[in-house]
């Protein structure tokens, strides 16, 4: 595996291998020493969970982490992301973990013959978020031991969610039954090829997994469409709806959470919430991704 860019690139064997290695790391497996592997984190959008869990994962693998600060880089002088990454490749960086607002930023880059470094997609615009998908799959599998015939609802800001896209691609392949909900104006036709759209009140009592999505204020003018209170009442997992979840059902959210918008404050850390478990699992999954790429490069 030279790059980790889209879940659509993964075979089911690839996925099984990554999930198994993530589980081994969580159980305390000792990683290889990649002290000759140079990695940098090029985060051009704000991030806490993804950025810092990649950074912790890199350090646990004993990689050499090269700092990169977008606001003080040559990007501020007009340099393109493509040229920045070609520069990092030229000076000997082995891998760049990239988050950007540009959808599918890597397509043109991969046509460049001189790009020798590996790329990890840490979120591209409203495109995909493959490492989040991996940790979500790991969390679900850890809970249920299967994906086959699980009823999973993905609810919220579908139009702008890279998490929703990555998860729907892979969960459908794995045999889950997918349902979508949220404002109809944020529902695009692509989702209907993977599941069924229903109002949230028709879903909550039947689902094994209720996955809420963050309202992405930075990608649209949320307040012109809904107030926080109106959104929560119409489309959010309110306390009342949370009480209707069936026994054994779990709540998920990629975070950061807008409390009392997508989900009631009291449910974020409820017994059936796996939101902070997802965060913990994210570091182990990112270790697995980084290791798989590094093993193919370090001789």
């Amino acid at each position: 595996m030279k790059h980790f860019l889209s879940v659509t690139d993964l075979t089911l064997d690839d996925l099984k291998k990554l999930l198994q290695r993530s589980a081994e790391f969580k159980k305390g497996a000792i990683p290889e020493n990649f002290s000759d592997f140079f990695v940098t984190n090029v985060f051009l959008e704000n991030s806490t969970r993804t950025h810092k869990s990649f950074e912790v994962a890199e350090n646990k693998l004993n990689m050499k982490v090269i700092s990169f600060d977008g606001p003080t880089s040559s990007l501020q002088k007009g340099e393109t992301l493509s040229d920045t990454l070609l520069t990092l490749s030229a000076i000997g960086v082995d891998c760049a973990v990239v988050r950007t607002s540009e959808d599918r930023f890597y397509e043109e880059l991969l046509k460049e013959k001189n790009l020798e470094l590996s790329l990890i997609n840490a979120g591209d615009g409203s495109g995909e978020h493959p490492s989040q998908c991996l940790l979500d799959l790991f969390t679900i599998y850890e809970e249920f031991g299967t994906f086959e015939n699980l009823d999973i609802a993905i609810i919220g800001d579908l139009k702008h969610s890279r998490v929703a896209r990555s998860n729907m691609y892979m969960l459908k392949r794995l045999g889950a039954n997918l349902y979508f909900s949220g404002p109809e104006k944020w529902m695009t036709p692509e989702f209907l090829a993977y599941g069924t759209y229903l109002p949230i009140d028709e879903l909550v009592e039947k689902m094994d997994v209720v996955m809420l999505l963050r309202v992405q204020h930075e990608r649209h003018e949320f307040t012109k469409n809904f107030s926080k209170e109106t959104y929560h009442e119409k489309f959010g997992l309110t306390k009342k709806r949370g009480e209707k979840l069936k026994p054994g059902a779990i709540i998920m959210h990629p975070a950061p959470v807008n409390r009392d918008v997508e989900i009631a404050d009291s449910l974020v850390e409820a017994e059936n919430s796996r939101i902070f478990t997802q965060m913990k699992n994210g570091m182990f999954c990112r270790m697995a991704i980084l290791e798989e790429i590094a093993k193919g490069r370090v001789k």
Side-chain angles (χ1 to χ4, degrees):
M1 186 185 297
K2 182 176 181 181
H3 306 292
F4 187 82
L5 300 171
S6 168
V7 295
T8 59
D9 297 332
L10 297 175
T11 67
L12 291 182
D13 284 341
D14 292 333
L15 177 64
K16 182 179 178 181
K17 184 177 183 179
L18 288 168
L19 291 176
Q20 182 178 341
R21 190 58 174 154
S22 301
E24 290 169 358
F25 281 136
K26 190 169 184 178
K27 291 176 182 176
I30 304 300
E32 294 185 44
N33 187 320
F34 294 104
S35 58
D36 293 328
F37 188 86
F38 290 81
V39 60
T40 192
N41 300 302
V42 181
F43 275 68
L44 306 180
E45 290 188 317
N46 295 339
S47 173
T48 299
R49 274 146 292 275
T50 305
H51 190 172
K52 295 308 175 184
S53 65
F54 263 116
E55 195 170 308
V56 172
E58 290 154 5
N59 279 281
K60 282 184 175 288
L61 292 167
N62 296 302
M63 294 176 172
K64 286 189 171 67
V65 183
I66 307 303
S67 64
F68 181 91
D69 180 38
T72 61
S73 73
S74 291
L75 288 166
Q76 303 307 309
K77 297 179 179 180
E79 183 172 73
T80 64
L81 174 59
S82 176
D83 282 345
T84 294
L85 292 170
L86 285 168
T87 298
L88 293 169
S89 178
I91 64 176
V93 173
D94 295 296
C95 179
V97 181
V98 182
R99 170 169 289 190
T100 175
S101 60
E102 182 183 343
D103 289 2
R104 302 183 72 82
F105 70 92
Y106 46 84
E107 287 188 335
E108 289 301 316
L109 277 166
L110 295 183
K111 296 176 184 178
E112 296 283 355
K113 295 181 180 179
N114 295 326
L115 185 69
E116 297 180 1
L117 58 71
S118 293
L119 294 174
I120 294 177
N121 181 4
D124 63 303
S126 295
E128 284 198 58
H129 197 342
S131 67
Q132 179 71 42
C133 178
L134 185 65
L135 73 89
D136 288 344
L137 295 177
F138 181 47
T139 303
I140 293 169
Y141 191 79
E142 196 174 42
E143 191 76 28
F144 298 100
T146 186
F147 300 99
E148 192 74 30
N149 290 321
L150 287 180
D151 293 317
I152 300 176
I154 304 177
I155 301 171
D157 194 352
L158 295 163
K159 182 178 180 179
H160 303 94
S161 178
R162 50 198 173 205
V163 175
R165 288 179 176 82
S166 290
N167 280 338
M168 76 177 183
Y169 296 150
M170 194 57 80
L171 285 168
K172 183 72 172 178
R173 287 174 66 190
L174 292 167
N177 305 314
L178 292 182
Y179 300 86
F180 303 101
S181 193
E184 288 190 60
K185 64 177 66 179
W186 295 347
M187 174 76 181
T188 57
E190 64 184 305
F191 291 97
L192 296 178
Y194 291 86
T196 304
Y197 176 88
L198 289 171
I200 188 171
D201 288 312
E202 294 183 30
L203 290 174
V204 288
E205 297 180 35
K206 305 171 185 176
M207 296 297 104
D208 297 298
V209 179
V210 174
M211 184 182 296
L212 290 311
L213 302 171
R214 181 176 69 87
V215 175
Q216 299 193 32
H217 304 274
E218 70 274 22
R219 301 195 199 280
H220 57 84
E221 296 186 52
F222 173 66
T223 53
K224 285 191 175 182
N225 295 307
F226 312 100
S227 68
K228 293 179 179 180
E229 293 77 16
T230 300
Y231 183 92
H232 186 60
E233 186 61 33
K234 288 187 174 182
F235 309 110
L237 189 65
T238 61
K239 183 177 179 182
K240 185 175 180 180
R241 290 186 179 116
E243 291 169 351
K244 295 180 180 180
L245 293 175
K246 69 181 187 180
I250 62 170
I251 300 166
M252 298 177 67
H253 191 303
V257 176
N258 294 307
R259 291 177 182 250
D260 290 323
V261 181
E262 304 102 29
I263 179 172
D265 177 78
S266 61
L267 296 178
V268 174
E269 297 166 78
E271 186 177 348
N272 58 346
S273 171
R274 298 296 178 269
I275 296 172
F276 286 91
T277 301
Q278 289 172 263
M279 297 178 200
K280 183 175 183 178
N281 287 343
M283 191 275 295
F284 299 115
C285 290
R286 288 166 179 136
M287 284 181 71
I289 294 165
L290 286 157
E291 181 189 60
E292 187 64 21
I293 286 176
K295 283 166 65 176
R297 296 182 64 94
V298 178
K299 305 301 180 183

